[in-house]
Amino acid sequence: GTAQIGVTGLAVMGRNLARNFARHGYTVAVHNRSYARTQSLVEEHGDEGTFVPSESMADFVASLERPRKVVIMVKAGGPTDAVIDELVPLLEEGDIVVDAGNAHFPDTIRREAALKEHGLHFVGTGVSGGEEGALNGPSIMPGGTREAYESLGPILEDISAKVDGVPCATYVGSDGAGHFVKMVHNGIEYADMQLIAEAYDLLRQGLGASAAEIGEIFAQWNTGDLESFLIEITADVLKHTDADTGKAFVDIILDQAEQKGTGRWTVQNGLDLGVPITGIAEATFARALSGSVPQREAARAVLPAHAAQWEVKDRDAFIEDVRQALYASKVVAYSQGFDQIAAAATEYGWDIDRGAMARIWRGGCIIRARFLNRITEAYERAADLPLLLADEYFTDAVASGLPAWRRVVAGAAQNGVPTPAFSSSLAYYDGVRAERLPAALVQAQRDFFGAHTYKRVDREGTFHTEWSGDRTEAEA
Ligand code: 6PG
């Protein structure tokens, strides 16, 4: 075989990845379950580089030079396993199978172990940036063995997005680490999107501004600390008018947010690891609430707001407050996501450089943003930083926005505007910095009704009080 890399699964993501490889001068073997798609790729884009089309999986594998590098880009779950099962008997020791779909990381851990038995490398890799990114430079988060990365990595770095000439691809960690980091990326994506949506809602309800006017505000924000892809597209969306009705586009969209599951996985894992990723969780639940149609109908009919019409006196000051509250909440959501990566690294035995993760998210991916540089710098200052918020830059950034943050959350509560992500992020901030938490009382309650024991602040040991008897304390 002569092809340097192969792609099987030529739906839009696979197709665009294959084109990206070809455009970078690689000879690309291409395969798809139905051959028509393979043919149309070569017909439409054959002039972009060198493609080697195959109708059968066997020919596809044979067309690759060794060690083979096969990228699978099919639907996560059963379809991925089906392709792996078809591939494995055709491959030889040392070949590398790359799963570039949005796999759930436990599946990646399982598949990596299974392929190792056959002497094959399995690289589960996160790929972010949607169709556009796949074609012009995604952010790439590969897991697997370092040995596999040695031959695969340079190709991935080559086709990835670049920021200041630095590739948005790097080795993440063993087995499921790449897909795990991609999962957290998506969780953060959910939080970021929800925070932006809440900021929009606050501006709309607080100012009575039009969608287009708010679009202008977001465009303005995109020139400062908040500069990011998501803020940029938000400005675009808000300024867009529906061709049919002439109304603001955002007003003709059904207000029920869907999801394909990566946010849910992130939250489930946060619960498993006991990491309070409240921003991501609230964002995921906010989507769930929006889709709770019978509940919303029942509530709309009977639940009063008992809130006044919001009267914002100083328009510019309010906009600035919302901006600062958004930035502070965003820092919290990212801090929580990076905490989750650290906890997972410990739990699953990965060695993940969090600063490098922020670096490869600066370009190509959905959460790409200027501010990720700050995260990289924070982990360069202290690789083992226990809390991103405690880095000097973020401490200052959040502290300076704190009065605004409190005003916005208080105003939202008083005026009946739901801001679950803004509010829970502030609650997290106040919780994590608290000298003492009412968790002490919870421990006492647990001991009261279930003899669940507690620890004391003044002595080592575990204790239980005889609540139903004479209330003496004994060491448990
Ligand atoms: C990316 C995205 C992508 C994800 C979509 C939709 O990084 O390119 O995260 O992988 O599938 O954002 O996700 P939901 O349908 O769950 O909103």
Side-chain angles (χ1 to χ4, degrees):
T2 56
Q4 291 153 302
I5 191 144
V7 179
T8 178
L10 300 175
V12 61
M13 286 295 287
R15 195 180 174 87
N16 284 358
L17 263 189
R19 291 173 61 195
N20 190 350
F21 285 125
R23 287 172 174 195
H24 280 83
Y26 298 99
T27 301
V28 190
V30 284
H31 171 265
N32 189 68
R33 207 155 49 104
S34 74
Y35 190 49
R37 236 185 231 283
T38 314
Q39 287 173 307
S40 83
L41 166 62
V42 177
E43 270 159 35
E44 288 164 36
H45 305 290
D47 57 341
E48 293 176 7
T50 312
F51 296 99
V52 183
S54 292
E55 189 160 4
S56 74
M57 191 67 98
D59 289 347
F60 168 68
V61 168
S63 73
L64 285 154
E65 69 180 29
R66 297 209 52 209
R68 300 183 183 88
K69 300 175 189 69
V70 181
V71 178
I72 303 174
M73 196 41 131
V74 299
K75 242 173 101 79
T80 303
D81 281 315
V83 173
I84 293 172
D85 289 346
E86 203 184 340
L87 266 173
V88 166
L90 302 168
L91 297 173
E92 290 166 276
E93 200 165 325
D95 287 350
I96 302 168
V97 177
V98 184
D99 175 13
N102 258 336
H104 196 195
F105 76 96
D107 289 337
T108 305
I109 294 175
R110 165 177 62 78
R111 290 170 182 145
E112 203 267 346
L115 266 65
K116 199 170 261 163
E117 299 279 301
H118 295 272
L120 301 172
H121 294 286
F122 185 75
V123 175
T125 186
V127 177
S128 177
E131 299 171 21
E132 218 272 335
L135 183 61
N136 297 318
S139 173
I140 310 181
M141 295 151 251
T145 60
R146 281 201 183 270
E147 194 190 337
Y149 192 80
E150 259 167 49
S151 59
L152 182 72
I155 305 179
L156 298 182
E157 289 176 22
D158 208 11
I159 66 145
S160 74
K162 309 286 180 304
V163 175
D164 306 330
V166 179
C168 294
T170 194
Y171 177 68
V172 176
S174 56
D175 54 63
H179 275 136
F180 183 89
V181 164
K182 174 62 187 357
M183 179 190 81
V184 175
H185 163 284
N186 279 30
I188 293 175
E189 172 185 307
Y190 280 39
D192 224 336
M193 293 167 72
Q194 174 65 20
L195 289 168
I196 291 171
E198 289 177 16
Y200 152 76
D201 203 16
L202 285 161
L203 294 172
R204 194 112 195 225
Q205 300 206 38
L207 299 176
S210 71
E213 284 167 332
I214 299 168
E216 284 302 334
I217 296 171
F218 275 97
Q220 186 56 40
W221 287 356
N222 201 40
T223 62
D225 286 338
L226 282 169
E227 181 188 320
S228 63
F229 171 71
L230 286 171
I231 295 279
E232 180 193 325
I233 65 164
T234 301
D236 263 16
V237 167
L238 290 175
K239 287 191 256 177
H240 183 58
T241 305
D242 175 50
D244 268 10
T245 59
K247 290 183 180 162
F249 181 71
V250 72
D251 289 337
I252 58 97
I253 298 183
L254 192 66
D255 61 345
Q256 296 168 24
E258 296 176 18
Q259 64 159 310
K260 287 195 288 293
T262 47
R264 182 172 58 238
W265 292 342
T266 316
V267 180
Q268 285 168 337
N269 177 262
L271 292 172
D272 286 345
L273 298 176
V275 181
I277 44 164
T278 56
I280 298 169
E282 288 295 352
T284 308
F285 283 132
R287 291 193 190 190
L289 187 150
S290 76
S292 301
V293 176
Q295 290 78 7
R296 288 179 65 188
E297 269 167 16
R300 200 179 286 141
V302 296
L303 301 187
H306 288 320
Q309 184 62 35
W310 206 339
E311 270 177 69
V312 170
K313 299 215 170 54
D314 185 336
R315 185 188 150 92
D316 289 343
F318 180 71
I319 294 171
E320 179 56 15
D321 273 5
V322 174
R323 190 191 69 81
Q324 292 189 16
L326 173 57
Y327 190 66
S329 303
K330 176 173 162 135
V331 170
V332 166
Y334 278 69
S335 183
Q336 294 176 339
F338 278 86
D339 260 8
Q340 183 175 13
I341 292 175
T346 304
E347 177 72 17
Y348 309 117
W350 299 324
D351 181 15
I352 300 180
D353 175 350
R354 286 175 291 172
M357 298 305 103
R359 185 177 336 107
I360 64 169
W361 287 348
R362 291 183 307 163
C365 65
I366 305 295
I367 65 170
R368 61 185 179 262
R370 183 210 292 206
F371 120 111
L372 286 158
N373 266 328
R374 303 294 194 173
I375 298 183
T376 304
E377 287 161 12
Y379 288 114
E380 275 165 8
R381 280 191 280 274
D384 291 330
L385 192 66
L387 180 75
L388 187 59
L389 268 175
D391 168 75
E392 61 197 41
Y393 169 79
F394 289 109
T395 301
D396 290 351
V398 171
S400 66
L402 202 48
W405 200 7
R406 294 199 190 287
R407 278 194 296 273
V408 168
V409 169
Q414 261 161 1
N415 294 284
V417 179
T419 53
F422 270 60
S423 307
S424 71
S425 299
L426 180 56
Y428 174 88
Y429 177 86
D430 282 327
V432 78
R433 68 171 189 83
E435 198 64 52
R436 236 176 112 64
L437 288 169
L441 178 56
V442 172
Q443 281 297 81
Q445 291 164 335
R446 293 178 66 246
D447 190 60
F448 192 112
F449 64 65
H452 294 298
T453 75
Y454 52 88
K455 293 195 171 69
R456 298 182 56 104
V457 295
D458 52 358
R459 263 181 284 143
E460 288 289 310
T462 303
F463 302 91
H464 167 59
T465 289
E466 280 301 330
W467 293 102
S468 50
D470 60 2
R471 306 209 161 172
T472 54
E473 180 181 80
E475 194 142 2

